[in-house]
Amino acid sequence: MNVMETIRVSLNSLTTNKMRSFLTILGIIIGVAAVIAIMAIGNGSKASIKEEINKLGNNVIMVAPAMPMTEEEVNRDNLPSYTWADIKAMEQKSSIAALMPSISSNSKVVWGRYNYNATIIGTSASFYKVKKLSFAEGRTFTNDELDKRMNVAILESQAVVRLFGGDTKGVLGRTFQIKQIPFKVIGVLNSQPVTNLDYSTNDQIYIPATTMMNRLGEQNITRLEVSAKSPALMDQAQSDILESLRVTHRLKPSEPDQFEVMSQAEAAGAALGVDNIMTSLLGGVAAISLVVGGIGIMNIMMVSVIERTKEIGIRKAIGAKPRDIMIQFLSEAVIFGLLGGMLGVVTGIGASKIIEATAHMTVEFTISPILYSFLSSAGTGILFGVYPAYKAARLKPIDALRYE
């Protein structure tokens, strides 16, 4: 039996019971589709992180409380936190260009009959420089407004839309309320893209950190980002930050640092490493579906051998060799795998596109996962089809013809 005849007979056998054949390859379809979709989402996520790193530049430093090393430190109530004195001291360092302390709170904001639950961020005058933001109109806080704890606010683009009900013309100078306290709009920011590192919704409101502490009762600076004057001064800026914090927190030379510093690129690199691990783990879990699909192929091929025992006996009686029988059944298993692989590739790409459109996630396809998963599906067909094919080839003609 030549190759084309073998393929024709195999396809005819598979199409005899279409539903059974489809259910057999369903595991392969799910496995291949899951691998492709997960890898596409993972690649898209990594691309977004790299893009964000490039956009932020390499002069942004994140400052965080040092991780507790002992159980006693974990249970202490007086874990280190930032103070406004820390911020003022760091502003004096020549290596530091800008700081963005963050005191975050969710509050209802009201203007006339319009209101929404906004994220309020208490920060410094130079926050926009750290985040690479720009003003559509207006200005940032002045030192006088910070020192006098004045009720002024800067709105992101969607905050203007949500707070003023679409009336976005001439918003500078308008007064709205946060916790029934009036605030005056002094600036409006341009929209910023949503990224993997900082999920901005463009509807946040920025007010002076001193006002946040004094008027809204939020005392804890939960986040601190610092921009060095240049990439060349990164090491100096990190040293200056730690030195400044040691002075303002009155640490003795023998006492360890209470804070850690890390560049934004290093933090993003750590996030990228975690993303790689998660993508690999999820890809491995998805690949298990290929094994499940392979077991389904073996099961159905074993049933097929039993159902076609007489057919095998007749073919052997008229001259078919064991090799011919084995090739025929093995080709059926391979076709199962290849067909499941093709449908899985189409399903995986389609599912990724749907996720991208509905969940607003970035997906990025590469040829390697598609090629590997498709070839794996064919390999699964071979691997799990060998034993049924071998069993069919080993049947003796006289025993096969007697089978009822």
Side-chain angles (χ1 to χ4, degrees):
M1 187 182 293
N2 59 38
V3 175
M4 294 305 298
E5 181 65 15
T6 300
I7 294 174
R8 188 191 66 78
V9 172
S10 298
L11 288 173
N12 182 65
S13 174
L14 297 180
T15 55
T16 300
N17 194 327
K18 296 181 180 64
M19 180 56 70
R20 187 173 74 177
S21 298
F22 173 73
L23 293 176
T24 301
I25 63 174
L26 187 58
I28 299 292
I29 295 172
I30 293 172
V32 171
V35 170
I36 291 173
I38 288 171
M39 296 306 294
I41 293 170
N43 289 335
S45 176
K46 286 182 278 187
S48 295
I49 291 174
K50 290 177 182 177
E51 182 182 350
E52 181 67 6
I53 293 173
N54 294 332
K55 185 177 67 177
L56 288 171
N58 51 1
N59 66 330
V60 177
I61 301 166
M62 300 184 69
V63 187
M67 293 296 293
M69 300 299 294
T70 66
E71 185 177 350
E72 180 182 354
E73 290 175 326
V74 171
N75 294 329
R76 278 190 338 200
D77 294 329
N78 58 338
L79 289 175
S81 59
Y82 315 104
T83 66
W84 191 245
D86 297 335
I87 308 304
K88 297 295 287 184
M90 278 185 270
E91 285 180 337
Q92 307 306 314
K93 298 295 183 179
S94 60
S95 61
I96 294 174
L99 297 99
M100 183 181 175
S102 296
I103 309 174
S104 183
S105 173
N106 290 319
S107 300
K108 179 180 284 189
V109 294
V110 180
W111 182 77
R113 63 189 179 88
Y114 298 105
N115 65 83
Y116 80 100
N117 288 319
T119 299
I120 314 297
I121 297 177
T123 188
S124 65
S126 58
F127 75 95
Y128 68 97
K129 296 179 182 178
V130 178
K131 301 299 289 183
K132 304 294 190 294
L133 303 175
S134 60
F135 281 85
E137 54 182 330
R139 59 174 176 82
T140 189
F141 316 120
T142 64
N143 289 330
D144 190 54
E145 288 167 340
L146 283 160
D147 292 339
K148 293 182 178 178
R149 308 179 181 112
M150 296 182 69
N151 297 358
V152 290
I154 298 168
L155 277 58
E156 290 188 333
S157 57
Q158 287 301 307
V160 174
V161 174
R162 297 187 67 180
L163 179 57
F164 298 116
D167 182 8
T168 60
K169 300 297 183 182
V171 298
L172 294 183
R174 288 184 184 176
T175 300
F176 66 96
Q177 292 184 338
I178 304 175
K179 292 184 177 180
Q180 298 182 337
I181 300 172
F183 280 80
K184 179 182 176 181
V185 179
I186 63 169
V188 176
L189 297 168
N190 286 311
S191 296
Q192 58 177 316
V194 176
T195 68
N196 286 58
L197 297 183
D198 192 3
Y199 295 97
S200 172
T201 52
N202 287 305
D203 62 359
Q204 298 178 142
I205 296 175
Y206 300 90
I207 66 174
T210 49
T211 305
M212 188 85 160
M213 294 174 172
N214 185 258
R215 304 289 172 84
L216 300 185
E218 300 288 343
Q219 298 297 322
N220 295 323
I221 299 176
T222 56
R223 183 172 177 177
L224 176 60
E225 296 172 74
V226 181
S227 178
K229 284 191 174 178
S230 70
L233 291 173
M234 281 288 287
D235 290 341
Q236 182 61 46
Q238 290 180 344
S239 297
D240 286 344
I241 291 167
L242 291 175
E243 179 186 349
S244 178
L245 287 169
R246 290 188 68 87
V247 171
T248 53
H249 286 254
R250 300 178 181 179
L251 295 179
K252 298 176 182 179
S254 59
E255 293 181 298
D257 291 328
Q258 292 183 334
F259 296 87
E260 297 175 341
V261 294
M262 180 184 294
S263 72
Q264 189 87 31
E266 290 172 338
L272 190 62
V274 172
D275 192 88
N276 284 332
I277 293 172
M278 289 303 298
T279 301
S280 299
L281 287 174
L282 291 173
V285 172
I288 294 174
S289 295
L290 288 173
V291 178
V292 175
I295 295 171
I297 290 176
M298 176 181 282
N299 180 61
I300 205 66
M301 292 304 298
M302 292 294 291
V303 172
S304 181
V305 169
I306 294 172
E307 290 178 343
R308 296 159 62 187
T309 300
K310 275 198 171 183
E311 176 190 329
I312 294 169
I314 293 171
R315 290 191 176 186
K316 283 197 168 186
I318 60 176
K321 298 178 180 179
R323 184 186 64 181
D324 297 326
I325 302 298
M326 187 167 186
I327 289 175
Q328 179 189 337
F329 278 87
L330 194 57
S331 66
E332 291 179 17
V334 172
I335 290 172
F336 268 131
L338 289 174
L339 188 58
M342 287 188 288
L343 292 175
V345 168
V346 173
T347 304
I349 293 174
S352 300
K353 289 295 184 181
I354 292 172
I355 291 171
E356 182 179 34
T358 57
H360 305 291
M361 298 176 67
T362 302
V363 300
E364 185 176 289
F365 296 101
T366 55
I367 189 63
S368 298
I370 295 175
L371 183 61
Y372 290 156
S373 57
F374 178 72
L375 293 178
S376 295
S377 66
T380 300
I382 294 173
L383 179 65
F384 288 93
V386 166
Y387 179 72
Y390 175 77
K391 185 176 180 181
R394 294 277 295 174
L395 285 174
K396 295 180 180 180
I398 189 67
D399 294 332
L401 289 171
R402 285 176 177 175
Y403 183 82
E404 294 295 340

